[in-house]
Amino acid sequence: MKVLKFGGTSVGSAQRMKEVAELITDKSKKIVVLSAMSGTTNSLVEIANYLYKKNHDGANELINQLEQKYKQEIDLLYSSDEFKQKGLELVKSHFEYIKSFTIDMFTVFEEKTILAQGELLSTAMFDYYLQEQGEDSVLLPALDYMRIDKNNEPDNIYIRENLNKILEQHEGKNIFITQGYICRNAFGEIDNLQRGGSDYSASIIGTASQAEEIQIWTDIDGMHNNDPRYVENTKSISELSFDEAAELAYFGAKILHPTSVLPAKLANIPVRLLNTMEPNAAGTLISSKQRKERMAAVAAKDGITAIKIKSGRMLLAYGFLRKVFEIFESYKTPIDMISTSEVGVSVTIDDNRHLEEIVDDLKKYGTVDVDTDQVIVCVVGDLVAENKGYAHAILDAMKEVPIRMISYGGSNYNVSLLINAKDKKKALNLLSDKLFN
Ligand code: ASP
Ligand code: MG
């Protein structure tokens, strides 16, 4: 069995849904995980924001606009009156449900229920389409098996048991359609795996069902060796290790959600990144296999803040770093990069929500400097120490660019450099010339 995940753009219109159907209707056994149609989750977030502010007119206007859009797609998706009718009823019932939340008591519970409607709609529409085409597909409700625990981590045992139980009830069937992103929480309420979480769903489902492969279908041909928005002639990377893919996904390659690599890695299930616009292109294969070339890719992560804490007393002191890290932990703010010297430590964060409080707390331990508008440029590959020359090549390429921090040796797969945002394009191009050309 394979798991195939199609993102919002891949199911973004009736036409695109028909193209996805062509890709999945061979007779092999598969679970197809779908996102909401592109733009839908953003619109649902906006609707929820209006409802939090009790702006019911604003919410209703958006709800009606979105409903109109779905009605148009329904008309284009189905050819028979029977299915056009079924589709319209489906859309009507979901939007009536959304409208039932234009009430004064609007909490995160109502919000999450609204956000779930995007994936519930796209999968139901797609399943109807397959039925109209005479396919014997089965709609698997993610809310019946996908669950997170009290720490918002996937409840893997529950998921495995329940998903496999449902699959067994449909023995002999080959095409299963299910929702990405949505789940229930430890209290049984509707919840989600965070924005972009459909990739994570696919990976969790692949692991739970012991799939032979997880495919993530998007609209570009796999991960590229540099950011095509800033660098010309980037190339699709044919193979990556799980660790390299995790670093790249985290540090900028938007094509794959970073959380989705770990479950696949632990279960050793290959992940293939494929392009719906060019289904026969090779894409990127992420697996435990060793690659031949060492340098894989360069990526950049925006919106980084660097914080430097200088303490006169760090000299020969122990416990200083623990105290510093505890402050970040108490504000649930993850640290990306670290660089230490005998008199101080610099760290970077990408979540600024508690910056002020963090800085205030850090001042107990020394002087604190903050630099905003930073970018982490990260070089990913199999950069093990015996392979001399990579650090030199990277720094040589960057000789014209001021570097604020360097991190090397944290893993065998990544060298990270912190630079000013304004130097990002230049840095990406210099590294590209030096490392790949
Ligand atoms: N529809 C959700 C989002 O837009 C989940 C996903 O597409 O991955 O964030
Ligand atoms: Mg995505």
Side-chain angles (χ1 to χ4, degrees):
M1 173 138 79
K2 288 185 181 165
V3 171
L4 287 73
K5 179 259 169 177
F6 293 89
T9 352
S10 302
V11 293
S13 65
Q15 182 52 35
R16 301 299 303 273
M17 280 197 185
K18 293 180 191 180
E19 285 158 21
V20 171
E22 299 235 324
L23 292 170
I24 60 133
T25 43
D26 59 334
K27 289 290 161 257
S28 65
K29 193 162 176 167
K30 58 181 78 69
I31 302 177
V32 178
V33 181
L34 301 184
S35 291
M37 296 178 84
S38 57
T40 297
T41 312
N42 285 344
S43 300
L44 295 172
V45 168
E46 262 185 85
I47 290 167
N49 286 341
Y50 275 128
L51 293 175
Y52 272 120
K53 293 185 200 130
K54 311 215 180 308
N55 182 344
H56 295 167
D57 291 342
N60 276 321
E61 199 184 316
L62 277 182
I63 296 171
N64 290 334
Q65 272 173 20
L66 194 61
E67 183 173 3
Q68 267 333 101
K69 193 188 122 185
Y70 272 84
K71 285 183 174 160
Q72 283 163 14
E73 297 303 333
I74 290 292
D75 191 46
L76 297 168
L77 184 58
Y78 307 108
S79 41
S80 66
D81 285 344
E82 183 199 345
F83 276 91
K84 281 184 202 273
Q85 195 52 37
K86 278 185 162 184
L88 282 179
E89 274 158 28
L90 176 82
V91 167
K92 217 175 110 200
S93 75
H94 281 274
F95 281 91
E96 262 167 25
Y97 190 49
I98 295 172
K99 282 176 201 154
S100 76
F101 291 106
T102 49
I103 44 171
D104 282 334
M105 251 293 287
F106 193 81
T107 69
V108 65
F109 169 78
E110 281 80 20
E111 177 192 1
K112 289 189 168 155
T113 307
I114 287 187
L115 294 186
Q117 303 309 309
E119 272 72 10
L120 291 169
L121 268 164
S122 65
T123 47
M125 284 165 67
F126 187 67
D127 186 49
Y128 274 166
Y129 178 72
L130 292 178
Q131 285 178 27
E132 189 181 40
Q133 301 302 304
E135 298 292 338
D136 196 11
S137 57
V138 179
L139 189 57
L140 293 181
L143 298 178
D144 289 354
Y145 65 85
M146 191 56 94
R147 195 157 92 161
I148 48 176
D149 61 19
K150 288 201 180 92
N151 301 315
N152 293 334
E153 294 291 337
D155 186 342
N156 287 316
I157 297 174
Y158 179 97
I159 297 167
R160 195 187 327 123
E161 277 179 15
N162 286 280
L163 174 62
N164 288 318
K165 203 160 72 193
I166 305 172
L167 289 173
E168 277 160 24
Q169 287 163 3
H170 297 284
E171 257 220 49
K173 304 281 170 138
N174 283 332
I175 304 176
F176 296 92
I177 313 298
T178 195
Q179 298 86 20
Y181 177 59
I182 65 173
C183 63
R184 289 191 188 273
N185 60 26
F187 311 101
E189 299 160 344
I190 295 181
D191 211 313
N192 60 60
L193 301 174
Q194 312 283 328
R195 294 304 307 272
S198 292
D199 294 351
Y200 197 21
S201 300
S203 184
I204 296 167
I205 292 167
T207 309
S209 63
Q210 290 177 297
E212 68 202 74
E213 185 170 289
I214 298 161
Q215 298 182 348
I216 307 286
W217 289 80
T218 64
D219 51 0
I220 69 166
D221 54 342
M223 276 204 197
H224 276 227
N225 63 355
N226 209 323
D227 193 327
R229 288 168 301 179
Y230 303 99
V231 178
E232 278 172 36
N233 301 324
T234 62
K235 287 194 197 73
S236 162
I237 311 167
S238 58
E239 283 175 80
L240 279 174
S241 70
F242 286 115
D243 292 308
E244 292 165 339
E247 303 266 14
L248 269 181
Y250 186 73
F251 287 108
K254 294 274 179 300
I255 168 169
L256 181 67
H257 199 270
T259 52
S260 54
V261 181
L262 188 63
K265 178 188 167 172
L266 293 177
N268 196 15
I269 301 174
V271 178
R272 210 182 274 280
L273 309 178
L274 292 158
N275 185 356
T276 22
M277 312 292 256
E278 224 185 298
N280 295 321
T284 300
L285 178 64
I286 302 165
S287 72
S288 52
K289 238 174 76 187
Q290 197 70 33
R291 277 175 317 107
K292 272 194 229 73
E293 324 93 70
R294 300 255 160 217
M295 294 286 189
V298 176
K301 186 167 161 82
D302 300 323
I304 304 291
T305 299
I307 305 166
K308 178 159 56 199
I309 309 105
K310 264 194 303 188
S311 158
R313 274 173 297 147
M314 190 174 167
L315 197 68
L316 299 178
Y318 50 84
F320 174 72
L321 289 177
R322 178 176 55 76
K323 287 181 198 147
V324 167
F325 291 157
E326 269 173 4
I327 291 172
F328 288 89
E329 190 185 339
S330 67
Y331 293 102
K332 293 198 162 73
T333 300
I335 293 172
D336 281 332
M337 273 176 84
I338 310 169
S339 179
T340 62
S341 86
E342 202 40 55
V343 293
V345 53
S346 272
V347 303
T348 70
I349 57 173
D350 72 348
D351 175 356
N352 270 349
R353 278 175 296 176
H354 298 289
L355 182 61
E356 253 178 67
E357 295 111 298
I358 290 173
V359 169
D360 277 346
D361 287 4
L362 287 171
K363 281 182 179 157
K364 275 188 282 190
Y365 302 118
T367 49
V368 181
D369 291 317
V370 175
D371 291 313
T372 51
D373 285 329
Q374 305 288 298
V375 169
I376 296 175
V377 169
C378 135
V379 181
V380 169
D382 187 6
L383 309 169
V384 282
E386 303 94 278
N387 289 289
K388 296 191 191 78
Y390 293 115
H392 174 258
I394 292 165
L395 290 178
D396 193 37
M398 293 283 283
K399 64 183 173 228
E400 308 278 312
V401 180
I403 301 173
R404 165 76 172 75
M405 279 168 75
I406 299 179
S407 182
Y408 175 70
S411 81
N412 288 344
Y413 309 103
N414 160 330
V415 176
S416 299
L417 307 153
L418 188 73
I419 60 170
N420 287 316
K422 67 175 170 46
D423 295 326
K424 167 173 143 179
K425 185 171 179 190
K426 185 173 168 190
L428 291 177
N429 278 284
L430 287 169
L431 286 166
S432 187
D433 288 346
K434 187 88 186 177
L435 304 181
F436 304 126
N437 295 337

Coordinates of all heavy atoms in Angstrom, one line a residue, residues 44 141 165 167 176 350 426:
L44 N -11.2 30.4 6.0 CA -11.8 29.9 7.3 C -11.2 30.6 8.5 O -11.9 30.9 9.4 CB -11.7 28.4 7.4 CG -12.5 27.6 6.3 CD1 -12.3 26.1 6.3 CD2 -14.0 27.9 6.4
P141 N -13.0 8.7 7.4 CA -13.1 9.9 8.2 C -11.9 10.0 9.1 O -11.7 9.2 10.0 CB -14.4 9.8 9.0 CG -15.1 8.6 8.4 CD -14.1 7.7 7.8
K165 N -8.2 -1.0 11.9 CA -9.5 -1.6 12.1 C -10.4 -1.1 11.0 O -11.1 -2.0 10.4 CB -10.0 -1.2 13.4 CG -11.1 -2.1 14.0 CD -11.3 -1.9 15.5 CE -11.9 -0.6 15.8 NZ -11.8 -0.3 17.3
L167 N -9.6 0.0 8.0 CA -9.1 -0.6 6.7 C -9.6 -2.0 6.6 O -10.0 -2.4 5.5 CB -7.6 -0.5 6.6 CG -7.0 0.9 6.4 CD1 -5.5 0.9 6.5 CD2 -7.5 1.5 5.1
F176 N -8.7 4.5 -0.9 CA -9.2 5.2 0.3 C -8.9 6.6 0.2 O -7.8 7.0 -0.1 CB -8.6 4.5 1.5 CG -8.9 3.1 1.7 CD1 -8.1 2.1 1.2 CD2 -10.1 2.7 2.4 CE1 -8.4 0.8 1.3 CE2 -10.4 1.4 2.5 CZ -9.6 0.4 2.0
D350 N 12.8 32.1 16.0 CA 12.0 32.6 14.9 C 10.6 33.0 15.4 O 9.7 33.4 14.7 CB 11.9 31.6 13.7 CG 11.1 30.4 14.1 OD1 10.7 30.2 15.2 OD2 10.8 29.7 13.1
K426 N 22.2 37.7 -2.2 CA 23.6 37.7 -2.5 C 24.2 36.4 -2.0 O 24.9 35.7 -2.7 CB 24.3 38.9 -1.9 CG 25.7 39.1 -2.3 CD 26.2 40.4 -1.8 CE 27.7 40.5 -1.8 NZ 28.2 41.7 -1.1

